[in-house]
Amino acid sequence: MRKLLLLFIVLTTGLLFIVRLFYLQVYDTSATVLSESNAIKQQFEIPQRGRIYDRNGKLLVSNQPSYDLMAIPREIKPFDTLKLCTLLNIEKEQLVKQLNKARVFSPRHPSVIVPTMSQEEFAFLGEQMRKFEGFYIQKRSLRDYQIDFGANFLGFIQEVHQGIINKDPYYKMGDLIGRQGVEQQYEELLRGKKGIQYLQKDRFNRVIGPYKEGQLDVKPEEGKNIYLTIDSELQKYGELLMQGKRGGIVAIEPTTGEILALVAAPNYDPALMVGRARSENYTRLYNDSIAKPMFDRALLGEYAPGSPFKALTGLIALQEDAMSLQDRVYCNGGLPYGRGQIFGCHHHRSPLAMIDGIAQSCNAYFGTAYLKTLAKFDNVQEGMTAWEKHLKSFGLGDFMGYDLPIGRPGLIPTAKMYNRVYGYPERRWGAAATLSNSIGQGEVALTPMQMAHFTATIANKGWFYKPHILKKIQGVDTLPKQFEEKNFTTIEPKHFEPIIEGLHGVYTSGTAYNLRVPDIEICGKTGTAENYTKIDGVTTQLTDHSTFVAFAPKDDPKIAIAVFVENGYWGSRYGGRIASVMIEKYIKGEVTRKDLEEWVLTHTLEEEYAKPLSGKPFRINY
């Protein structure tokens, strides 16, 4: 009986082994089993990345072929390192370093040894590959930029690092991933899906053909093509106008929230981020701590908006019934407040009501409107909270929800913030302590994107779509829901009419009178923002910034724009000129105000930007 039991156990165990082996060899074709098998080589096929077009169908970014030298460390046999280095035009130390890195990553899986070989290098090396066992060439596509501008919103692609691989198993060593701009924001759409090819190897570890005649192979899926809201001609023109200057331009289509132009200056040629020199170019651009070409001032620059903010101060005063359209304010060089202080203003006719107050950019008028607004409430804290609520309904003081991976929230000061600063309730503070907020100075800070956005919202008389840069996805009929949802401010539509009349008056009789464009009714607002920095530990006032916002045409807005030029003296000097010709360029397709265009193109601010280093004096009073 014991002999029979022992025989039964042996037979049963043997049968189980046979069944398991049969299952693994015949039925189990899972990717995990195949990738672990020594007799099967798993080779990924990288799909073509999706192309990028502008709003008019112009191709901005396509692909170009590139070749990577790959290696599977455990399959490498002794080879002539000097010859391989000569063929690749690299140093031996670099080759050894990459091979060691590949062994650490995985002895069994392929790693990139030399990325982005040119067509010539590939042709030269291809004939010699049989001499280097364990190495092979993998074809992939790199970006091919059809334009030499727009790097800040396009972004670039780079090789993944170990942190990304650990986080997302889709990526393998040597894969490329989108970084910055739309390349990063829409990475999953643009990258497509990898293909997998299983290759059968013989006992000498040589590939002898496809495994199971390729039945288990997965074909790659090309990335989706995407269409941006950007008008590439307007973008190119904006970057041309901003040469020799620093700042940002944002243009938005008010009725859709589509971003027409997103200019950051200085910028760089996106082609610098392609090829083997990418790392060197990136390091050089990133380490430029003075011009900061990789700092997107349109999205990341937080500045005092200056006088364009007065339009919002006026809207809030009307909504809270703190001022009427008939209320007039006297201005004799400023508004007296506090203990003998003067809230300064430039000289103009006086007194002024709301519409002329905007056209003439009167600080005294909007300082009065601000103080009366806060005084409508039981205490200044409640008044400040109401003021904050209105501004945040415009999307200010927070991240705006647009579809780009970077941004800053700006700052809309709050009662809590002032309570903390002044030590409330031990030390009380009054509205006069925050008076500079009324004219877009003080603690208020906005990005050029936020300035363009509130201008578009005024053009719409109180409603907006969130700004976005994606217009269409290949094969998809709808946009993400958040970009098709209409948002409303806390200001009633009726209050926008007089503000718009005031902004129109800026061009017809006010501070932008000399910037008028034939046959286009433009509404705008000049701005001069004070500019301070620390030099050798001392707070120093630099040359003021030039700010300008506008929209046109007045009764059927097609474009809203914000221009911010660092150290640009005053609003109409740089910002106003740039905004006017860009509006004309977009609406007419050409520029007739050649005098404005020529002045901007022939004037730079490089000398101004060098003053903190050169020691030359700054121009503060004009």
Side-chain angles (χ1 to χ4, degrees), residues 313-501:
T313 300
L315 285 168
I316 295 171
L318 291 173
Q319 179 65 33
E320 294 296 340
D321 199 24
M323 299 283 283
S324 73
L325 295 177
Q326 290 72 41
D327 288 341
R328 298 160 72 84
V329 173
Y330 283 89
C331 176
N332 297 309
L335 172 69
Y337 77 105
R339 299 177 181 178
Q341 298 183 76
I342 298 293
F343 190 50
C345 187
H346 64 99
H347 292 286
H348 54 76
R349 60 185 174 84
S350 179
L352 297 174
M354 174 78 75
I355 293 174
D356 286 339
I358 294 174
Q360 300 300 323
S361 196
C362 179
N363 289 352
Y365 183 91
F366 290 98
T368 300
Y370 178 80
L371 294 176
K372 286 190 172 184
T373 298
L374 299 192
K376 291 282 291 184
F377 297 85
D378 291 340
N379 56 62
V380 69
Q381 282 82 10
E382 287 185 15
M384 181 64 68
T385 299
W387 176 80
E388 172 204 350
K389 179 183 176 183
H390 287 305
L391 291 172
K392 288 193 171 179
S393 75
F394 284 79
L396 307 181
D398 201 353
F399 295 98
M400 299 185 65
Y402 50 71
D403 54 340
L404 285 164
I406 60 171
R408 295 293 301 163
L411 177 63
I412 298 300
T414 67
K416 288 183 179 179
M417 187 185 90
Y418 288 120
N419 286 342
R420 186 167 60 250
V421 170
Y422 290 101
Y424 183 85
E426 290 80 11
R427 295 174 60 197
R428 295 184 179 275
W429 55 275
T434 67
L435 185 57
S436 292
N437 291 339
S438 65
I439 59 170
Q441 295 280 172
E443 286 69 50
V444 176
L446 302 180
T447 65
M449 171 62 82
Q450 290 174 319
M451 293 174 67
H453 173 65
F454 84 64
T455 304
T457 305
I458 291 174
N460 290 337
K461 300 177 183 176
W463 61 267
F464 62 88
Y465 290 107
K466 288 184 178 179
H468 54 279
I469 201 167
L470 179 67
K471 188 172 182 67
K472 187 172 66 173
I473 304 167
Q474 175 191 4
V476 179
D477 295 330
T478 59
L479 284 174
K481 184 178 178 181
Q482 66 266 31
F483 302 132
E484 296 184 332
E485 182 179 341
K486 212 172 192 180
N487 299 274
F488 295 88
T489 70
T490 54
I491 308 296
E492 294 176 62
K494 65 181 181 181
H495 297 310
F496 287 88
E497 291 286 356
I499 298 299
I500 290 172
E501 286 301 322

Side-chain angles (χ1 to χ4, degrees), residues 104 125 174 261 271 351 389 577:
V104 170
L125 181 62
K389 179 183 176 183
R577 285 181 166 99

Side-chain angles (χ1 to χ4, degrees), residues 88-90 114-118 121 274-280:
L88 295 170
N89 194 27
I90 62 173
V114 178
T116 61
M117 294 187 296
S118 67
E121 289 172 323
V274 178
R276 217 178 293 177
R278 190 204 68 83
S279 181
E280 179 183 341

Side-chain angles (χ1 to χ4, degrees), residues 229-301:
T229 61
I230 294 290
D231 183 310
S232 59
E233 290 301 314
L234 186 67
Q235 176 75 25
K236 181 180 181 179
Y237 187 56
E239 292 198 22
L240 177 66
L241 295 171
M242 287 296 287
Q243 286 184 5
K245 309 164 191 70
R246 297 176 190 168
I249 303 173
V250 181
I252 295 174
E253 185 176 63
T255 55
T256 63
E258 294 179 357
I259 300 170
L260 302 173
L262 186 63
V263 176
N267 213 331
Y268 59 92
D269 185 342
L272 291 174
M273 292 298 165
V274 178
R276 217 178 293 177
R278 190 204 68 83
S279 181
E280 179 183 341
N281 291 334
Y282 177 87
T283 301
R284 175 172 54 83
L285 293 168
Y286 183 81
N287 289 334
D288 185 349
S289 59
I290 297 176
K292 299 181 180 178
M294 298 200 76
F295 180 75
D296 191 335
R297 288 168 167 85
L299 300 179
L300 297 174

Side-chain angles (χ1 to χ4, degrees), residues 57-77:
K58 179 181 177 180
L59 181 62
L60 305 180
V61 187
S62 60
N63 299 296
Q64 58 181 313
S66 177
Y67 306 89
D68 295 339
L69 179 64
M70 310 291 293
I72 301 174
R74 74 175 184 181
E75 296 181 9
I76 296 175
K77 299 294 188 291

Side-chain angles (χ1 to χ4, degrees), residues 245-248 297 301-308 440-441 444 446 448 451 525-533 540-548 563-576 605 608-609 612 618-620 622:
K245 309 164 191 70
R246 297 176 190 168
R297 288 168 167 85
E302 295 174 293
Y303 307 97
S307 291
Q441 295 280 172
V444 176
L446 302 180
M451 293 174 67
K525 185 71 195 75
T526 55
T528 303
E530 292 182 344
N531 177 22
Y532 293 88
T533 192
T540 305
Q541 185 172 5
L542 310 183
T543 303
D544 291 343
H545 297 315
S546 172
T547 72
F548 197 91
V563 181
F564 196 100
V565 181
E566 294 181 3
N567 305 79
Y569 292 78
W570 61 85
S572 60
R573 182 177 174 89
Y574 280 97
L605 290 164
E608 199 67 47
Y609 301 136
F618 303 100
R619 182 172 180 177
I620 299 170
Y622 312 111

